[in-house]
Amino acid sequence: MSADLRKFRNIGIAAHIDAGKTTVTERILFYTGVSHKIGEVHEGEAVMDWMEQERERGITIQSAAISCSWKGYHVNIIDTPGHVDFTIEVGRSLRVLDGMVSVFCGVAGVQPQSETVWKQATRYNVPSIIFVNKMDRIGADYFKVIKDVNERLNGNALAMQIPVGSEENFKGLVDVLSNKMVLYGDDKGVESNWIDTPAEYADQVVELRDAIIARAADFDDALAEKYLDGKEIAIDEIKAALRKGVLQRQVFPAFCGTAFKNKGIQPMLDAVIDYLPCPLDLPPVVGENPDTGKEETRAADASAPFAGLAFKIMTDPFVGVLSYVRVYSGSLSAGSYVLNSTTGSKERVSRLVRMHSNKREEIQSVEAGDIVALVGLKDIKTGDTVTDIKFPILLENIDVPIPVISASVEPKAKGDYEKMITALRKMTQEDPSFKLNYNEETGQTVIAGMGELHLEIQVDRLRREHKVDVEQGKLQVAYKETIQKSVDIEGKYIKQSGGRGQYGHVWLKLEPLERGKGFEFENKVVGGTIPREYIPAIQKGLEEAITTGILGGYPVVDIKASVYDGSYHDVDSSEMAFKVAASMALKSGMKIANPTLLEPIMKVEVDTPDEYVGDVMGDLNSRRGRILGMEEKGKGQQVIRAEVPLNEMLGGYSTTLRSLSKGRASYSMEFECYREMPKNVEEEVLGKNK
């Protein structure tokens, strides 16, 4: 018998680093009976942070999946990292989840990574509810955080509760819809007593309840009529109407509590059930038929053909490669064969396991709407679609951010080179934002990632998990090259050396594209001056040529190449000749098209006491930073927002900031965009590299 999909919730817990996501998840596991004791992040005992590196640093590095039950509902939860270096983990989780709990710190409110997560949720159209955590901390302000979300994220956040007490005296909350107050009778938050709300909150409850009903009326005409006629409206009617708004991402109900002090988690879990979507609430997933190229859909139905998306690959020392798959349609049994529509390969699923963080529960089958790990697939990577062999479909892939920093690595023991490469290949399969290259000019193995911490963790994993001791070279910023003006250029490759020669001749137009567009190719050849069969070779030649630019050998981006003329030889022309001719044309054209270096720019937020604002701003300016603005964040605290080139932030900014502020300021940064580098800095960078 098929499971009731209305009783399923696939949710993610996402937020800025240190807002308390993992602590929230640990409390959910405790209250749903998955854990029998509460795991604390600061004690290195969190169930969801099972990697040694996570427990030592008290941060989440890999998204972890777990299943639990609440009031008869099956809830799949993914706890995602908050550190910007692991953004890929959030992006790929949101790609396959139905709903999200956005956790905000009650003191800090909206932080840089909260914005990134919010943008990712918007991109994948993931409905969310809000949980304002850390209400027991000095300076926590639930209503200020809601205002912050509405102003900075256009969040349409709606207060559903009123905190009772503040800071260390926070002792419970008022549920606005039921007009009841919850107080907790024990430290673990298990004994909760719902009582009538005291009179002192009466006016606030009326005001907030009115705002909730007015908002709910936007999504339900019958409710709107009752509201206008002044009739009594049942709580269930209000929740049902609000739910419609949540599913459209038009409204975001906000709840509060303190996960660390075990308050407010159960009402938030009720809200997950009340407001976040089940698989049936979502439109059928859209993809294309790999054979015909036509658009097809798959509904969340166990009787439809099987289709799922592999959103995370992990190597498990006991079972081998684990492929985490969100099942969108159909059903799958252990031992059956699937088609990888992305690569075209057929493979056998030897086992199915339900993941509980790093522990596994073997199951025999899985149906639409669920999240499961497949064992036995070898030729698979993040973003691949796995389907029924007879009914293939290709689902939208997962966005992978581009690495901004790199470093060389070499094994300390000469005999460990192959072992190191094998381990690094496994790691790139697990994490698509982690790249591995071999630099032929220097003979170095180069790893690239999203930031200093990202590379530090990966090198640490090489040593601990894969038992390869390595030396890491100096960190290098991932620069790019581009052109600034359009040029027409000829490329000719003619070789005569006894027997058959080589002849390739092209005319290209090279044009700059706006930032982030990458590489575009267009065939504008008319009249058969170049036979059609050589056009793919020209494109391939250009794609290979843009991997190394002419200034410093960096990849070339944001460039369009159009081939519009040329000539060929009946006997001597070949694909190889046209490939070489195109490559020569691109290199020659770049020299006269005003080539320039692009550098990664980071969005930086510094939280500092008032008295150090001048020093912090002066330091950011000296790093070629552009101050975007400043705002007050609590009493005597300011938040400075700036854009700073990554190169200027490497090598100890945190140490400088600590000494400038006597250890009282903190900062966070994330990748913003690539931008042209000033000429004097470009000369300095190129000079160093020479």
Side-chain angles (χ1 to χ4, degrees):
M1 193 184 95
S2 290
D4 181 359
L5 289 182
R6 285 168 303 191
K7 297 271 182 174
F8 269 71
R9 296 290 182 273
N10 293 313
I11 64 161
I13 311 281
H16 184 87
I17 190 167
D18 211 25
K21 296 172 304 303
T22 302
T23 308
V24 167
T25 313
E26 293 297 322
R27 297 315 185 261
I28 291 173
L29 300 187
F30 177 69
Y31 297 128
T32 57
V34 174
S35 309
H36 298 294
K37 87 185 242 296
I38 293 174
E40 297 293 9
V41 175
H42 63 279
E43 290 170 6
E45 292 180 351
V47 175
M48 302 303 272
D49 286 350
W50 54 270
M51 287 171 70
E52 284 177 45
Q53 293 89 340
E54 294 178 313
R55 295 191 159 186
E56 284 171 6
R57 290 170 170 81
I59 62 168
T60 304
I61 292 165
Q62 291 208 345
S63 51
I66 204 154
S67 301
C68 59
S69 297
W70 181 250
K71 296 185 176 176
Y73 285 78
H74 177 83
V75 186
N76 286 319
I77 300 172
I78 295 185
D79 172 32
T80 63
H83 196 285
V84 62
D85 284 15
F86 310 105
T87 296
I88 175 71
E89 293 288 338
V90 187
R92 61 177 166 190
S93 301
L94 288 179
R95 167 69 181 82
V96 297
L97 289 170
D98 303 337
M100 177 172 89
V101 178
S102 294
V103 180
F104 292 91
C105 170
V107 182
V110 176
Q111 294 168 278
Q113 190 63 6
S114 334
E115 291 188 49
T116 304
V117 170
W118 198 269
K119 279 179 197 158
Q120 286 171 316
T122 306
R123 174 181 173 350
Y124 291 121
N125 208 20
V126 179
S128 308
I129 61 169
I130 289 164
F131 182 68
V132 180
N133 192 26
K134 302 194 177 184
M135 289 303 297
D136 58 318
R137 293 269 294 272
I138 292 170
D141 188 334
Y142 171 62
F143 293 104
K144 186 176 182 301
V145 174
I146 289 176
K147 185 168 175 267
D148 216 7
V149 169
N150 289 336
E151 287 175 0
R152 287 185 60 185
L153 304 176
N154 296 324
N156 288 325
L158 195 59
M160 305 297 289
Q161 295 172 337
I162 301 166
V164 175
S166 64
E167 300 175 352
E168 70 268 25
N169 297 318
F170 175 76
K171 57 179 189 274
L173 43 93
V174 172
D175 177 73
V176 174
L177 287 183
S178 64
N179 195 13
K180 294 281 184 189
M181 179 165 88
V182 64
L183 296 174
Y184 293 91
D186 67 335
D187 286 344
K188 288 191 172 177
V190 177
E191 292 173 27
S192 53
N193 306 309
W194 287 92
I195 59 172
D196 289 334
T197 304
E200 66 194 271
Y201 293 101
D203 291 348
Q204 206 176 357
V205 168
V206 169
E207 184 190 335
L208 290 177
R209 197 170 197 274
D210 207 49
I212 292 169
I213 296 171
R215 196 76 186 93
D218 292 342
F219 309 106
D220 188 314
D221 293 342
L223 188 146
E225 260 182 61
K226 276 189 176 181
Y227 175 58
L228 292 170
D229 293 342
K231 291 179 182 169
E232 188 59 37
I233 301 168
I235 290 176
D236 286 349
E237 288 179 89
I238 300 168
K239 285 183 176 178
L242 267 188
R243 191 167 200 272
K244 291 178 189 171
V246 173
L247 298 187
Q248 297 166 30
R249 279 187 61 84
Q250 296 288 314
V251 66
F252 300 88
F255 302 85
C256 66
T258 161
F260 182 52
K261 297 280 178 68
N262 312 311
K263 294 179 175 70
I265 299 296
Q266 297 99 321
M268 183 267 284
L269 264 174
D270 291 338
V272 164
I273 305 303
D274 288 338
Y275 301 110
L276 290 181
C278 71
L280 295 174
D281 290 320
L282 302 172
V285 67
V286 178
E288 70 169 45
N289 185 315
D291 300 329
T292 63
K294 288 186 177 163
E295 189 177 284
E296 287 186 9
T297 58
R298 292 281 188 276
D301 180 355
S303 59
F306 170 72
L309 187 80
F311 66 95
K312 183 177 170 70
I313 310 298
M314 237 176 79
T315 307
D316 185 295
F318 302 105
V319 297
V321 176
L322 281 171
S323 312
Y324 285 71
V325 169
R326 162 66 198 263
V327 182
Y328 283 103
S329 66
S331 60
L332 182 69
S333 303
S336 50
Y337 282 83
V338 291
L339 171 73
N340 181 332
S341 305
T342 313
T343 62
S345 62
K346 291 176 187 154
E347 294 196 74
R348 182 173 176 270
V349 178
S350 57
R351 292 157 67 193
L352 294 172
V353 290
R354 197 180 290 295
M355 295 304 292
H356 297 285
S357 187
N358 63 331
K359 296 184 175 65
R360 301 167 301 280
E361 173 202 345
E362 194 132 347
I363 55 174
Q364 290 310 305
S365 64
V366 66
E367 291 184 351
D370 213 341
I371 289 172
V372 73
L374 314 186
V375 180
L377 305 187
K378 291 177 181 67
D379 179 24
I380 191 163
K381 59 185 190 303
T382 297
D384 284 2
T385 306
V386 283
T387 66
D388 186 309
I389 290 171
K390 291 179 187 158
F391 302 97
I393 189 172
L394 203 50
L395 303 176
E396 182 195 355
N397 209 318
I398 289 167
D399 280 344
V400 177
I402 44 174
V404 293
I405 198 165
S406 64
S408 62
V409 283
E410 56 182 79
K412 283 186 179 172
K414 285 274 187 284
D416 278 352
Y417 184 76
E418 284 305 318
K419 195 175 167 187
M420 179 186 83
I421 294 297
T422 305
L424 286 170
R425 285 200 178 118
K426 273 186 188 168
M427 288 158 74
T428 57
Q429 187 188 19
E430 289 178 15
D431 179 355
S433 66
F434 178 62
K435 301 285 186 208
L436 170 65
N437 296 303
Y438 180 72
N439 187 327
E440 288 184 6
E441 285 177 27
T442 61
Q444 288 176 313
T445 302
V446 178
I447 54 172
M450 301 307 298
E452 289 182 70
L453 181 65
H454 192 191
L455 296 190
E456 184 191 316
I457 298 279
Q458 298 293 44
V459 167
D460 195 31
R461 288 186 63 201
L462 267 180
R463 291 184 185 125
R464 292 196 204 188
E465 288 171 37
H466 301 283
K467 307 290 184 274
V468 183
D469 209 4
V470 295
E471 291 270 7
Q472 183 183 318
K474 198 165 148 276
L475 290 168
Q476 303 285 333
V477 173
Y479 298 116
K480 310 271 187 206
E481 297 185 23
T482 192
I483 59 172
Q484 297 180 88
K485 70 173 187 181
S486 299
V487 294
D488 290 82
I489 194 76
E490 183 182 26
K492 233 177 199 177
Y493 179 60
I494 300 170
K495 204 172 176 186
Q496 297 299 138
S497 55
R500 187 177 167 184
Q502 294 287 355
Y503 185 97
H505 175 215
V506 297
W507 273 97
L508 299 179
K509 184 178 184 68
L510 303 180
E511 302 165 83
L513 293 174
E514 63 181 90
R515 292 293 152 262
K517 285 291 186 187
F519 171 69
E520 286 179 16
F521 172 75
E522 192 176 355
N523 173 23
K524 289 186 173 176
V525 173
V526 288
T529 52
I530 300 174
R532 198 177 298 138
E533 65 263 29
Y534 295 133
I535 300 298
I538 292 169
Q539 183 173 353
K540 196 156 192 294
L542 292 168
E543 284 168 356
E544 284 180 14
I546 62 169
T547 56
T548 50
I550 59 154
L551 291 173
Y554 301 110
V556 180
V557 294
D558 305 336
I559 184 171
K560 180 178 179 180
S562 310
V563 55
Y564 63 88
D565 202 2
S567 61
Y568 70 101
H569 188 281
D570 286 336
V571 178
D572 292 349
S573 281
S574 66
E575 286 187 3
M576 200 274 278
F578 273 101
K579 195 170 150 185
V580 175
S583 174
M584 288 164 63
L586 185 104
K587 299 283 185 197
S588 308
M590 276 197 72
K591 287 177 185 167
I592 56 171
N594 246 357
T596 186
L597 279 192
L598 300 173
E599 62 181 341
I601 304 293
M602 309 305 280
K603 186 161 72 176
V604 178
E605 255 192 34
V606 183
D607 198 329
T608 175
D610 286 344
E611 59 262 44
Y612 307 116
V613 165
D615 292 342
V616 170
M617 279 189 170
D619 180 65
L620 288 172
N621 283 324
S622 74
R623 295 170 186 270
R624 296 194 285 125
R626 195 163 64 125
I627 308 293
L628 300 176
M630 188 173 80
E631 70 175 71
E632 199 172 337
K633 199 87 171 214
K635 204 172 178 186
Q637 284 286 117
Q638 299 288 341
V639 172
I640 301 165
R641 294 193 182 86
E643 288 178 349
V644 191
L646 173 61
N647 190 35
E648 306 290 338
M649 297 296 285
L650 288 186
Y653 177 67
S654 50
T655 310
T656 306
L657 186 62
R658 269 201 298 274
S659 65
L660 284 175
S661 65
K662 297 189 172 60
R664 291 171 62 200
S666 62
Y667 83 104
S668 60
M669 70 173 183
E670 61 176 292
F671 173 69
E672 175 72 8
C673 63
Y674 269 91
R675 213 171 273 157
E676 282 165 34
M677 190 185 279
K679 274 288 169 238
N680 60 323
V681 183
E682 183 182 293
E683 283 162 16
E684 197 182 312
V685 168
L686 293 174
K688 269 185 198 166
N689 288 2
K690 276 174 188 157

